[in-house]
Amino acid sequence: MKKLLNYLPFHFVGFLILGIYFQFFYQLWQFGFLYLITFNALILFFLLVVSNKKIITILCFFLFFFIGISSTYFNNDSNYSNYYQRHLKETSSLVLTINKVLKAGFYHDKYEVEIKQVGNVRTRGKVLLNILKDSTIPSLKVDELFSINSSFQELNPPLNPHQFNYKTYLEKQGIYQQLFLENKQIKRIGFQGFSLVGISAKFRDQIQESLKAHNFKADELAVINALLLGQRQDISKELIADYSRAGAVHILAVSGLHVGIILLILSWIFKPLERLKKGKFIKTILVVLFLWMFAFIAGLSASVVRAVTMFTFLAIGLSFQRKNIIEFSLISSMFFLLVFKPMFLFDVGFQLSYLAVFGIIWVQPRLYTIYKPRFKLVDKFWQLITVSFAAQIGILPLSLFYFHQFPSLFWLSNLIIIPFLGAILIGGIIIIFFSLLGVLPQILATLYGFVISSMNNFVGWISMQEQFLWKEISMSFLWMISLYLLIALGTRFLIDTSAKKLIYFLISIVIIQSIFVFETHQKKIKEEFIVFHKSRNSIIGIRTLGKLIVHHDIDSSIIQKSNFITSYRIAENVDQTFIKHIPAVFEYKKEQILIIDSLGVYPFKGVKKPIVVLQYSPKINLERLIKTIHPKQIIADGNNYKSYVKKWRVICEKQKTPFYYTGKNGAFIYDKE
């Protein structure tokens, strides 16, 4: 680890990441491409003429910080003069092409599309396309061109606190708008030109069609598509949930695990070449070539390209056979990926992949020394267990931060499945090869399907052991960072059990304790009155003393499973109580909150400048209400008719009374100090 900390690209990656982060969230650079290139050139010039080592080091860090800024700026389509939004008009005709086929929703097929032309102007920029499902019309394909005359819609942010922010997720993919269309609104042009991704998609479609002819069950075919072709669209929610609860969801995504196993197999197959002159060089070329062939078959998706790039650097590094070459290769691959694709930084898969590998590199050797088996077979299993635990340690804080659960039987899933995953992958490649040639024996297909079903059944059995699944774990960002600090300093202490390293390790424990005390105090003192957004019902929450009291008018079994209530409770780490009753008046911090439902009945006496919540489209004279009780604010929740909301907004603007609609602005949160 010490050598890695002294490895300059390690520090360069750190400043590169800072540059990407600050440019994406704060838009530090807004002065155009020419000035940005000139500024970077000036830094390079000073690097060449300055001789002081300390100044050179500072300039290098500054340079890589601006490389991160530059990479993010150059990868943002909206910074270019031919960005499609700069040329849009109401009557514009647009030509688009399919970049990627996404997982379909309940009502719509979804695609990532590129805006190729607006009117007569060649443009750039991506949008999300939603097409109403129609089983009678073939779906669009990658690289297919089509034209439309339609207006764009803005992406919708989450309407309740702590829900998944799909808008922010898409913005990190460079997508800021979306389209909702029916098939009749699309004029297909055909295919113009080609791309590697498009060729890969066509080849993958051929494979899928050839596999369908061999009577695989739906779940079997879905898992085969995920394992070998990188396509998870057809996997049922239930099956994904099973793999997630069993701690084996990484098996369903073509990632570092799969590519790493293939690298080991290829290295073993081509090992005899090392006896030849320049055999190691030839072996490395062949291994890298086959890795990228696998990436092509798997669709060249972002996760596959990341994994294959990582292991390409690793394969090249291993050919040098130098100490710490694995760590240096991984750092170099991360640097390379982030320079060309800076938005990978915000991808959960990217983060988990590298953290898992670094966990294996740094933690596994220490775990392995705890026990030394006498027998080779036991030793292999012990290696596998320690690798699994080390990878889990590497990703644990981040997994808890994102997913709020920990499958404690992950080691059993990995212990049983991973030793056979190489054979499953090789078997799958053979199945695909024979099916494309049209000579796949049905008995072989049935046998492979049985293996996949057995894996699914085993994972399903693991997932049912719910007493070993720790769910709804609250993990703040500060907690996550402090845990990684604890892991890093703890590992350093295990490697070098000196007094200095012990002090650092103890300091990390004190930091975690301090964060725990601080967040516990904040939880207790934080108070909120919340009108949640719900389209057909009403939900009001009052948070005080670390507890959320939820007033509602929904069936009790449904409200307890409500995702946005659960998300709030986990993120804020509070207890909850449900009350199936919404009173007409709430008292909150000496403020009166008046609830007016469909009956339109409300008290006049004793009510002074309240906050008014309108529910279920009450037929009231809002102008008279405002003049009578002088409300501080009018809130319309999600179950009101939109026509009523529009009318109320106009009245409030006329009367100069603040108006708030949860269907547009999200949940109303009142936290008066």
Side-chain angles (χ1 to χ4, degrees):
M1 183 181 286
K2 186 176 180 180
K3 286 187 177 181
L4 185 62
L5 292 174
N6 293 328
Y7 184 52
L8 272 179
F10 182 80
H11 301 281
F12 294 159
V13 167
F15 281 90
L16 180 76
I17 288 171
L18 286 175
I20 293 169
Y21 178 87
F22 280 102
Q23 178 60 25
F24 180 79
F25 285 105
Y26 303 107
Q27 298 296 309
L28 292 184
W29 190 268
Q30 300 181 14
F31 310 109
F33 293 99
L34 181 60
Y35 288 112
L36 183 58
I37 293 170
T38 304
F39 192 82
N40 283 311
L42 281 173
I43 299 174
L44 281 171
F45 173 76
F46 282 116
L47 273 172
L48 293 173
V49 299
V50 171
S51 57
N52 186 288
K53 288 186 178 180
K54 289 185 178 179
I55 295 176
I56 288 174
T57 303
I58 292 170
L59 284 173
C60 280
F61 291 154
F62 201 57
L63 174 64
F64 281 95
F65 178 76
F66 264 88
I67 288 175
I69 288 176
S70 305
S71 178
T72 309
Y73 191 85
F74 274 90
N75 276 273
N76 188 345
D77 288 331
S78 64
N79 292 324
Y80 291 81
S81 60
N82 64 339
Y83 185 55
Y84 75 94
Q85 288 192 32
R86 301 179 190 274
H87 303 278
L88 280 179
K89 298 177 182 177
E90 289 186 8
T91 57
S92 294
S93 175
L94 298 98
V95 177
L96 305 90
T97 186
I98 302 294
N99 278 355
K100 190 187 300 182
V101 179
L102 306 175
K103 187 175 179 66
F106 192 75
Y107 297 108
H108 295 89
D109 291 320
K110 294 178 179 289
Y111 305 90
E112 179 190 294
V113 298
E114 179 87 15
I115 312 296
K116 304 295 288 185
Q117 191 171 316
V118 176
N120 296 320
V121 180
R122 300 287 292 181
T123 57
R124 65 191 300 158
K126 297 182 289 186
V127 298
L128 175 67
L129 173 63
N130 302 272
I131 299 182
L132 194 65
K133 285 186 175 180
D134 188 341
S135 58
T136 63
I137 299 176
S139 59
L140 294 165
K141 304 292 184 183
V142 175
D143 284 345
E144 187 169 0
L145 288 168
F146 60 96
S147 65
I148 61 169
N149 291 91
S150 184
S151 57
F152 294 90
Q153 296 183 26
E154 296 302 315
L155 299 169
N156 298 319
L159 295 176
N160 285 301
H162 302 298
Q163 282 187 295
F164 174 68
N165 195 330
Y166 191 50
K167 178 183 179 182
T168 301
Y169 170 79
L170 289 176
E171 287 174 349
K172 290 172 182 175
Q173 317 301 313
I175 297 172
Y176 300 94
Q177 289 185 312
Q178 60 182 334
L179 287 162
F180 285 91
L181 301 171
E182 297 180 27
N183 278 282
K184 63 184 180 182
Q185 296 175 277
I186 293 174
K187 182 181 178 181
R188 297 195 183 200
I189 299 174
F191 294 85
Q192 182 177 333
F194 65 91
S195 67
L196 276 176
V197 175
I199 297 170
S200 172
K202 289 177 183 178
F203 183 60
R204 197 169 58 247
D205 288 342
Q206 290 180 356
I207 293 173
Q208 289 174 330
E209 288 300 318
S210 67
L211 290 174
K212 287 177 182 177
H214 292 281
N215 304 318
F216 288 105
K217 296 176 183 177
D219 280 346
E220 293 172 357
L221 190 58
V223 171
I224 292 171
N225 283 332
L227 277 172
L228 299 161
L229 305 179
Q231 299 297 296
R232 295 175 58 177
Q233 290 95 327
D234 297 327
I235 301 179
S236 66
K237 290 183 179 179
E238 294 78 12
L239 191 58
I240 286 182
D242 283 348
Y243 274 83
S244 180
R245 288 193 295 265
V249 72
H250 54 283
I251 291 170
L252 293 180
V254 177
S255 59
L257 172 64
H258 304 70
V259 179
I261 290 171
I262 290 172
L263 173 62
L264 290 174
I265 293 170
L266 290 173
S267 297
W268 176 74
I269 291 173
F270 293 121
K271 190 172 180 61
L273 291 175
E274 294 181 3
R275 300 172 187 171
L276 303 175
K277 187 179 180 181
K278 296 186 178 179
K280 288 184 179 179
F281 175 76
I282 297 170
K283 173 190 169 183
T284 302
I285 295 296
L286 288 173
V287 166
V288 170
L289 179 64
F290 275 93
L291 285 178
W292 282 101
M293 286 175 63
F294 177 73
F296 177 81
I297 294 171
L300 292 171
S301 65
S303 62
V304 176
V305 170
R306 284 198 306 267
V308 173
T309 301
M310 181 196 300
F311 282 95
T312 295
F313 274 82
L314 187 58
I316 295 170
L318 287 172
S319 65
F320 291 101
Q321 292 186 338
R322 292 183 181 177
K323 197 173 181 182
N324 300 114
I325 197 66
I326 295 176
E327 295 96 318
F328 300 154
S329 298
L330 290 172
I331 289 292
S332 301
S333 70
M334 184 188 294
F335 178 81
F336 178 83
L337 284 169
L338 290 177
V339 165
F340 290 98
K341 290 290 183 180
M343 291 302 101
F344 278 174
L345 176 65
F346 306 109
D347 190 284
V348 178
F350 176 87
Q351 297 167 10
L352 292 174
S353 293
Y354 275 96
L355 286 171
V357 174
F358 285 127
I360 292 169
I361 291 170
W362 289 333
V363 180
Q364 192 270 342
R366 305 307 302 173
L367 292 178
Y368 180 70
T369 58
I370 294 173
Y371 168 62
K372 294 184 178 180
R374 294 182 180 179
F375 303 103
K376 191 172 182 179
L377 182 62
V378 178
D379 183 63
K380 292 294 182 184
F381 275 102
W382 177 238
Q383 286 183 31
L384 188 62
I385 290 172
T386 55
V387 165
S388 182
F389 269 94
Q392 202 63 228
I393 289 170
I395 67 171
L396 179 60
L398 193 68
S399 296
L400 294 178
F401 177 71
Y402 282 123
F403 309 118
H404 308 294
Q405 68 176 24
F406 176 64
S408 60
L409 288 181
F410 71 89
W411 60 273
L412 182 57
S413 304
N414 292 325
L415 184 64
I416 300 299
I417 295 174
I418 290 179
F420 302 102
L421 190 57
I424 291 171
L425 291 173
I426 295 298
I429 292 170
I430 293 170
I431 291 289
I432 287 172
F433 179 74
F434 283 136
S435 69
L436 284 173
L437 294 177
V439 294
L440 176 62
Q442 183 57 46
I443 188 171
L444 190 60
T446 303
L447 178 62
Y448 191 72
F450 172 77
V451 171
I452 299 296
S453 285
S454 299
M455 182 172 71
N456 291 344
N457 292 335
F458 174 71
V459 167
W461 177 80
I462 292 286
S463 72
M464 288 189 294
Q465 315 308 310
E466 296 208 2
Q467 66 272 29
F468 295 101
L469 177 64
W470 302 342
K471 297 185 291 185
E472 301 184 357
I473 301 171
S474 179
M475 174 67 65
S476 69
F477 182 77
L478 282 176
W479 253 96
M480 180 190 70
I481 297 299
S482 63
L483 274 178
Y484 274 119
L485 182 65
L486 177 72
I487 291 169
L489 295 178
T491 305
R492 290 192 71 188
F493 173 64
L494 289 173
I495 293 171
D496 177 13
T497 54
S498 64
K500 186 177 179 181
K501 299 292 191 299
L502 176 60
I503 291 170
Y504 289 149
F505 178 56
L506 293 176
I507 288 172
S508 70
I509 294 175
V510 172
I511 290 172
I512 285 183
Q513 291 173 331
S514 301
I515 291 172
F516 175 77
V517 171
F518 171 76
E519 292 189 348
T520 302
H521 175 69
Q522 290 296 110
K523 181 181 76 170
K524 288 182 179 180
I525 65 171
K526 187 174 181 180
E527 296 183 348
E528 291 178 330
F529 178 88
I530 309 169
V531 180
F532 290 100
H533 174 76
K534 192 79 170 69
S535 58
R536 296 180 182 177
N537 298 96
S538 183
I539 302 176
I540 293 175
I542 299 176
R543 174 180 173 175
T544 181
L545 298 175
K547 189 173 184 179
L548 178 68
I549 300 173
V550 181
H551 295 268
H552 65 95
D553 56 8
I554 309 175
D555 183 86
S556 298
S557 61
I558 295 175
I559 186 67
Q560 291 181 15
K561 296 178 182 178
S562 179
N563 287 332
F564 63 86
I565 297 293
T566 301
S567 297
Y568 180 90
R569 174 171 52 80
I570 294 172
E572 296 288 337
N573 193 21
V574 295
D575 299 322
Q576 64 187 17
T577 299
F578 295 101
I579 299 175
K580 194 175 182 181
H581 172 64
I582 300 177
V585 179
F586 285 92
E587 292 284 343
Y588 175 75
K589 289 190 174 183
K590 298 181 181 180
E591 293 280 356
Q592 291 178 319
I593 300 171
L594 182 61
I595 311 296
I596 303 177
D597 59 18
S598 59
L599 297 176
V601 179
Y602 56 92
F604 290 93
K605 294 182 180 180
V607 177
K608 296 180 180 179
K609 295 184 178 182
I611 295 172
V612 175
V613 179
L614 302 176
Q615 301 177 340
Y616 298 107
S617 307
K619 295 179 180 179
I620 58 171
N621 187 324
L622 187 61
E623 191 170 345
R624 183 175 16 172
L625 180 146
I626 293 172
K627 290 178 179 179
T628 303
I629 63 176
H630 307 289
K632 288 185 176 180
Q633 185 160 20
I634 303 290
I635 302 158
D637 70 8
N639 51 55
N640 292 287
Y641 295 134
K642 291 184 179 179
S643 58
Y644 280 43
V645 172
K646 187 177 180 181
K647 181 177 66 175
W648 293 336
R649 187 185 297 277
V650 172
I651 293 171
C652 287
E653 288 176 356
K654 183 179 177 182
Q655 298 296 323
K656 296 182 179 180
T657 301
F659 181 78
Y660 191 99
Y661 175 44
T662 63
K664 180 181 180 181
N665 307 109
F668 175 79
I669 301 176
Y670 184 61
D671 57 353
K672 179 182 176 184
E673 295 296 333

